mmCIF file of all heavy atoms in Angstrom:
data_model
loop_
_atom_site.group_PDB
_atom_site.id
_atom_site.type_symbol
_atom_site.label_atom_id
_atom_site.label_comp_id
_atom_site.label_asym_id
_atom_site.label_seq_id
_atom_site.Cartn_x
_atom_site.Cartn_y
_atom_site.Cartn_z
ATOM 1 N N LEU A 384 72.957 6.921 -45.721
ATOM 2 C CA LEU A 384 72.229 5.656 -45.815
ATOM 3 C C LEU A 384 70.800 5.895 -46.294
ATOM 4 O O LEU A 384 70.284 5.135 -47.134
ATOM 5 C CB LEU A 384 72.220 4.950 -44.463
ATOM 6 C CG LEU A 384 71.490 3.602 -44.433
ATOM 7 C CD1 LEU A 384 72.113 2.621 -45.412
ATOM 8 C CD2 LEU A 384 71.499 3.018 -43.018
ATOM 9 N N GLN A 385 70.157 6.953 -45.807
ATOM 10 C CA GLN A 385 68.799 7.267 -46.257
ATOM 11 C C GLN A 385 68.791 7.636 -47.736
ATOM 12 O O GLN A 385 67.875 7.245 -48.479
ATOM 13 C CB GLN A 385 68.216 8.407 -45.417
ATOM 14 C CG GLN A 385 66.741 8.655 -45.677
ATOM 15 C CD GLN A 385 65.878 7.443 -45.415
ATOM 16 O OE1 GLN A 385 65.963 6.816 -44.358
ATOM 17 N NE2 GLN A 385 65.053 7.074 -46.387
ATOM 18 N N ASP A 386 69.830 8.358 -48.181
ATOM 19 C CA ASP A 386 69.942 8.696 -49.606
ATOM 20 C C ASP A 386 70.074 7.434 -50.458
ATOM 21 O O ASP A 386 69.491 7.335 -51.545
ATOM 22 C CB ASP A 386 71.156 9.602 -49.841
ATOM 23 C CG ASP A 386 70.920 11.032 -49.369
ATOM 24 O OD1 ASP A 386 69.745 11.403 -49.206
ATOM 25 O OD2 ASP A 386 71.910 11.756 -49.155
ATOM 26 N N ILE A 387 70.877 6.474 -49.967
ATOM 27 C CA ILE A 387 71.045 5.215 -50.690
ATOM 28 C C ILE A 387 69.707 4.483 -50.802
ATOM 29 O O ILE A 387 69.339 3.975 -51.870
ATOM 30 C CB ILE A 387 72.088 4.319 -49.987
ATOM 31 C CG1 ILE A 387 73.489 4.948 -50.101
ATOM 32 C CG2 ILE A 387 72.092 2.912 -50.582
ATOM 33 C CD1 ILE A 387 74.546 4.232 -49.285
ATOM 34 N N LYS A 388 68.947 4.462 -49.712
ATOM 35 C CA LYS A 388 67.641 3.804 -49.716
ATOM 36 C C LYS A 388 66.686 4.486 -50.685
ATOM 37 O O LYS A 388 65.881 3.830 -51.360
ATOM 38 C CB LYS A 388 67.057 3.798 -48.305
ATOM 39 C CG LYS A 388 67.802 2.894 -47.338
ATOM 40 C CD LYS A 388 67.183 2.955 -45.945
ATOM 41 C CE LYS A 388 67.900 2.021 -44.976
ATOM 42 N NZ LYS A 388 67.320 2.095 -43.601
ATOM 43 N N ASN A 389 66.776 5.811 -50.790
ATOM 44 C CA ASN A 389 65.886 6.555 -51.687
ATOM 45 C C ASN A 389 66.255 6.364 -53.152
ATOM 46 O O ASN A 389 65.377 6.240 -54.017
ATOM 47 C CB ASN A 389 65.924 8.043 -51.344
ATOM 48 C CG ASN A 389 65.325 8.343 -49.976
ATOM 49 O OD1 ASN A 389 64.533 7.556 -49.448
ATOM 50 N ND2 ASN A 389 65.703 9.467 -49.388
ATOM 51 N N HIS A 390 67.568 6.341 -53.457
ATOM 52 C CA HIS A 390 68.025 6.272 -54.839
ATOM 53 C C HIS A 390 68.041 4.840 -55.391
ATOM 54 O O HIS A 390 67.888 4.640 -56.595
ATOM 55 C CB HIS A 390 69.437 6.866 -54.952
ATOM 56 C CG HIS A 390 69.478 8.363 -54.929
ATOM 57 N ND1 HIS A 390 69.484 9.077 -53.748
ATOM 58 C CD2 HIS A 390 69.496 9.280 -55.934
ATOM 59 C CE1 HIS A 390 69.530 10.369 -54.017
ATOM 60 N NE2 HIS A 390 69.533 10.524 -55.336
ATOM 61 N N PHE A 391 68.229 3.866 -54.509
ATOM 62 C CA PHE A 391 68.382 2.470 -54.973
ATOM 63 C C PHE A 391 67.395 1.563 -54.244
ATOM 64 O O PHE A 391 67.786 0.571 -53.620
ATOM 65 C CB PHE A 391 69.823 1.997 -54.722
ATOM 66 C CG PHE A 391 70.867 2.830 -55.402
ATOM 67 C CD1 PHE A 391 71.547 3.818 -54.696
ATOM 68 C CD2 PHE A 391 71.178 2.643 -56.740
ATOM 69 C CE1 PHE A 391 72.515 4.595 -55.307
ATOM 70 C CE2 PHE A 391 72.147 3.410 -57.360
ATOM 71 C CZ PHE A 391 72.815 4.393 -56.653
ATOM 72 N N LYS A 392 66.115 1.881 -54.376
ATOM 73 C CA LYS A 392 65.092 1.146 -53.631
ATOM 74 C C LYS A 392 65.106 -0.346 -53.942
ATOM 75 O O LYS A 392 65.033 -1.181 -53.041
ATOM 76 C CB LYS A 392 63.721 1.735 -53.955
ATOM 77 C CG LYS A 392 63.528 3.159 -53.444
ATOM 78 C CD LYS A 392 62.143 3.682 -53.795
ATOM 79 C CE LYS A 392 61.956 5.111 -53.298
ATOM 80 N NZ LYS A 392 60.612 5.651 -53.657
ATOM 81 N N ASP A 393 65.171 -0.687 -55.215
ATOM 82 C CA ASP A 393 65.064 -2.091 -55.625
ATOM 83 C C ASP A 393 66.400 -2.687 -56.068
ATOM 84 O O ASP A 393 66.427 -3.796 -56.602
ATOM 85 C CB ASP A 393 64.057 -2.217 -56.770
ATOM 86 C CG ASP A 393 62.677 -1.705 -56.372
ATOM 87 O OD1 ASP A 393 62.262 -1.993 -55.239
ATOM 88 O OD2 ASP A 393 62.034 -1.023 -57.201
ATOM 89 N N SER A 394 67.475 -1.956 -55.887
ATOM 90 C CA SER A 394 68.774 -2.453 -56.368
ATOM 91 C C SER A 394 69.854 -2.260 -55.310
ATOM 92 O O SER A 394 70.952 -1.814 -55.601
ATOM 93 C CB SER A 394 69.172 -1.736 -57.660
ATOM 94 O OG SER A 394 69.199 -0.326 -57.466
ATOM 95 N N ARG A 395 69.506 -2.596 -54.079
ATOM 96 C CA ARG A 395 70.488 -2.521 -53.002
ATOM 97 C C ARG A 395 70.352 -3.750 -52.109
ATOM 98 O O ARG A 395 69.304 -4.401 -52.046
ATOM 99 C CB ARG A 395 70.309 -1.258 -52.161
ATOM 100 C CG ARG A 395 69.019 -1.239 -51.360
ATOM 101 C CD ARG A 395 68.913 0.004 -50.486
ATOM 102 N NE ARG A 395 67.667 0.020 -49.727
ATOM 103 C CZ ARG A 395 67.506 -0.568 -48.544
ATOM 104 N NH1 ARG A 395 68.520 -1.194 -47.971
ATOM 105 N NH2 ARG A 395 66.345 -0.522 -47.922
ATOM 106 N N PHE A 396 71.443 -4.091 -51.446
ATOM 107 C CA PHE A 396 71.415 -5.163 -50.460
ATOM 108 C C PHE A 396 70.879 -4.609 -49.141
ATOM 109 O O PHE A 396 71.178 -3.468 -48.775
ATOM 110 C CB PHE A 396 72.816 -5.739 -50.251
ATOM 111 C CG PHE A 396 73.310 -6.544 -51.414
ATOM 112 C CD1 PHE A 396 74.204 -5.998 -52.326
ATOM 113 C CD2 PHE A 396 72.896 -7.859 -51.601
ATOM 114 C CE1 PHE A 396 74.671 -6.732 -53.404
ATOM 115 C CE2 PHE A 396 73.356 -8.601 -52.673
ATOM 116 C CZ PHE A 396 74.239 -8.045 -53.579
ATOM 117 N N ILE A 397 70.088 -5.411 -48.453
ATOM 118 C CA ILE A 397 69.565 -5.004 -47.153
ATOM 119 C C ILE A 397 70.702 -4.924 -46.130
ATOM 120 O O ILE A 397 70.711 -4.072 -45.249
ATOM 121 C CB ILE A 397 68.485 -5.987 -46.669
ATOM 122 C CG1 ILE A 397 67.352 -6.066 -47.701
ATOM 123 C CG2 ILE A 397 67.948 -5.560 -45.314
ATOM 124 C CD1 ILE A 397 66.692 -4.737 -47.995
ATOM 125 N N THR A 398 71.670 -5.802 -46.272
ATOM 126 C CA THR A 398 72.818 -5.821 -45.357
ATOM 127 C C THR A 398 73.570 -4.497 -45.399
ATOM 128 O O THR A 398 73.726 -3.885 -46.460
ATOM 129 C CB THR A 398 73.774 -6.958 -45.734
ATOM 130 O OG1 THR A 398 73.090 -8.200 -45.603
ATOM 131 C CG2 THR A 398 75.005 -6.972 -44.837
ATOM 132 N N ILE A 399 74.040 -4.083 -44.241
ATOM 133 C CA ILE A 399 74.892 -2.888 -44.123
ATOM 134 C C ILE A 399 76.218 -3.328 -43.513
ATOM 135 O O ILE A 399 76.242 -4.041 -42.505
ATOM 136 C CB ILE A 399 74.227 -1.821 -43.224
ATOM 137 C CG1 ILE A 399 72.908 -1.346 -43.848
ATOM 138 C CG2 ILE A 399 75.174 -0.648 -42.985
ATOM 139 C CD1 ILE A 399 72.076 -0.484 -42.918
ATOM 140 N N ILE A 400 77.323 -2.916 -44.131
ATOM 141 C CA ILE A 400 78.650 -3.232 -43.600
ATOM 142 C C ILE A 400 79.060 -2.118 -42.644
ATOM 143 O O ILE A 400 79.313 -0.988 -43.062
ATOM 144 C CB ILE A 400 79.694 -3.387 -44.715
ATOM 145 C CG1 ILE A 400 79.209 -4.391 -45.772
ATOM 146 C CG2 ILE A 400 81.037 -3.801 -44.119
ATOM 147 C CD1 ILE A 400 78.976 -5.792 -45.249
ATOM 148 N N ASN A 401 79.077 -2.435 -41.372
ATOM 149 C CA ASN A 401 79.402 -1.441 -40.353
ATOM 150 C C ASN A 401 80.911 -1.227 -40.247
ATOM 151 O O ASN A 401 81.707 -2.118 -40.568
ATOM 152 C CB ASN A 401 78.874 -1.902 -38.996
ATOM 153 C CG ASN A 401 77.356 -1.930 -38.946
ATOM 154 O OD1 ASN A 401 76.716 -0.939 -38.611
ATOM 155 N ND2 ASN A 401 76.778 -3.085 -39.281
ATOM 156 N N THR A 402 81.292 -0.047 -39.812
ATOM 157 C CA THR A 402 82.696 0.210 -39.505
ATOM 158 C C THR A 402 83.146 -0.754 -38.414
ATOM 159 O O THR A 402 82.480 -0.881 -37.381
ATOM 160 C CB THR A 402 82.895 1.655 -39.029
ATOM 161 O OG1 THR A 402 82.536 2.551 -40.084
ATOM 162 C CG2 THR A 402 84.344 1.917 -38.644
ATOM 163 N N ASN A 403 84.247 -1.452 -38.659
ATOM 164 C CA ASN A 403 84.702 -2.465 -37.707
ATOM 165 C C ASN A 403 86.222 -2.567 -37.769
ATOM 166 O O ASN A 403 86.781 -2.871 -38.813
ATOM 167 C CB ASN A 403 84.053 -3.817 -38.031
ATOM 168 C CG ASN A 403 84.433 -4.906 -37.055
ATOM 169 O OD1 ASN A 403 84.884 -5.974 -37.440
ATOM 170 N ND2 ASN A 403 84.260 -4.667 -35.759
ATOM 171 N N VAL A 404 86.874 -2.300 -36.654
ATOM 172 C CA VAL A 404 88.334 -2.293 -36.629
ATOM 173 C C VAL A 404 88.899 -3.672 -36.932
ATOM 174 O O VAL A 404 90.021 -3.790 -37.458
ATOM 175 C CB VAL A 404 88.841 -1.770 -35.264
ATOM 176 C CG1 VAL A 404 88.538 -2.782 -34.152
ATOM 177 C CG2 VAL A 404 90.331 -1.466 -35.324
ATOM 178 N N LYS A 405 88.150 -4.731 -36.674
ATOM 179 C CA LYS A 405 88.639 -6.085 -36.937
ATOM 180 C C LYS A 405 88.855 -6.329 -38.425
ATOM 181 O O LYS A 405 89.727 -7.121 -38.805
ATOM 182 C CB LYS A 405 87.661 -7.117 -36.372
ATOM 183 C CG LYS A 405 87.544 -7.118 -34.858
ATOM 184 C CD LYS A 405 88.857 -7.551 -34.200
ATOM 185 C CE LYS A 405 88.708 -7.619 -32.687
ATOM 186 N NZ LYS A 405 89.960 -8.046 -32.016
ATOM 187 N N LEU A 406 88.079 -5.660 -39.267
ATOM 188 C CA LEU A 406 88.267 -5.796 -40.714
ATOM 189 C C LEU A 406 89.622 -5.223 -41.129
ATOM 190 O O LEU A 406 90.322 -5.794 -41.968
ATOM 191 C CB LEU A 406 87.134 -5.095 -41.466
ATOM 192 C CG LEU A 406 85.752 -5.749 -41.374
ATOM 193 C CD1 LEU A 406 84.689 -4.832 -41.952
ATOM 194 C CD2 LEU A 406 85.752 -7.096 -42.096
ATOM 195 N N LYS A 407 89.993 -4.089 -40.539
ATOM 196 C CA LYS A 407 91.292 -3.488 -40.830
ATOM 197 C C LYS A 407 92.425 -4.344 -40.270
ATOM 198 O O LYS A 407 93.465 -4.519 -40.920
ATOM 199 C CB LYS A 407 91.357 -2.074 -40.256
ATOM 200 C CG LYS A 407 90.394 -1.093 -40.908
ATOM 201 C CD LYS A 407 90.532 0.302 -40.300
ATOM 202 C CE LYS A 407 89.583 1.284 -40.983
ATOM 203 N NZ LYS A 407 89.700 2.651 -40.399
ATOM 204 N N GLU A 408 92.227 -4.866 -39.085
ATOM 205 C CA GLU A 408 93.246 -5.725 -38.480
ATOM 206 C C GLU A 408 93.462 -6.980 -39.329
ATOM 207 O O GLU A 408 94.598 -7.410 -39.554
ATOM 208 C CB GLU A 408 92.828 -6.120 -37.061
ATOM 209 C CG GLU A 408 92.882 -4.982 -36.059
ATOM 210 C CD GLU A 408 92.404 -5.418 -34.687
ATOM 211 O OE1 GLU A 408 92.122 -6.629 -34.499
ATOM 212 O OE2 GLU A 408 92.300 -4.564 -33.795
ATOM 213 N N ALA A 409 92.368 -7.573 -39.797
ATOM 214 C CA ALA A 409 92.468 -8.778 -40.616
ATOM 215 C C ALA A 409 93.290 -8.515 -41.863
ATOM 216 O O ALA A 409 94.174 -9.306 -42.223
ATOM 217 C CB ALA A 409 91.069 -9.276 -40.992
ATOM 218 N N ALA A 410 93.029 -7.383 -42.521
ATOM 219 C CA ALA A 410 93.783 -7.037 -43.733
ATOM 220 C C ALA A 410 95.258 -6.840 -43.426
ATOM 221 O O ALA A 410 96.133 -7.254 -44.203
ATOM 222 C CB ALA A 410 93.195 -5.774 -44.363
ATOM 223 N N SER A 411 95.564 -6.223 -42.290
ATOM 224 C CA SER A 411 96.964 -5.973 -41.931
ATOM 225 C C SER A 411 97.712 -7.272 -41.657
ATOM 226 O O SER A 411 98.936 -7.339 -41.819
ATOM 227 C CB SER A 411 97.052 -5.050 -40.719
ATOM 228 O OG SER A 411 96.586 -5.694 -39.548
ATOM 229 N N PHE A 412 96.991 -8.320 -41.252
ATOM 230 C CA PHE A 412 97.604 -9.626 -41.009
ATOM 231 C C PHE A 412 97.537 -10.530 -42.240
ATOM 232 O O PHE A 412 97.951 -11.691 -42.185
ATOM 233 C CB PHE A 412 96.936 -10.316 -39.824
ATOM 234 C CG PHE A 412 97.388 -9.804 -38.483
ATOM 235 C CD1 PHE A 412 96.646 -8.845 -37.807
ATOM 236 C CD2 PHE A 412 98.558 -10.272 -37.899
ATOM 237 C CE1 PHE A 412 97.057 -8.363 -36.574
ATOM 238 C CE2 PHE A 412 98.978 -9.795 -36.666
ATOM 239 C CZ PHE A 412 98.228 -8.841 -35.996
ATOM 240 N N GLY A 413 97.013 -10.006 -43.339
ATOM 241 C CA GLY A 413 96.919 -10.794 -44.561
ATOM 242 C C GLY A 413 95.905 -11.909 -44.471
ATOM 243 O O GLY A 413 96.117 -13.004 -44.997
#
Side-chain angles (χ1 to χ4, degrees):
L384 180 59
Q385 189 59 50
D386 285 341
I387 292 172
K388 291 179 178 179
N389 293 338
H390 283 84
F391 301 98
K392 293 180 181 179
D393 301 319
S394 56
R395 67 177 180 86
F396 289 101
I397 302 302
T398 298
I399 297 170
I400 307 299
N401 293 271
T402 297
N403 182 233
V404 69
K405 294 294 183 180
L406 290 170
K407 294 181 179 180
E408 289 178 5
S411 69
F412 282 97

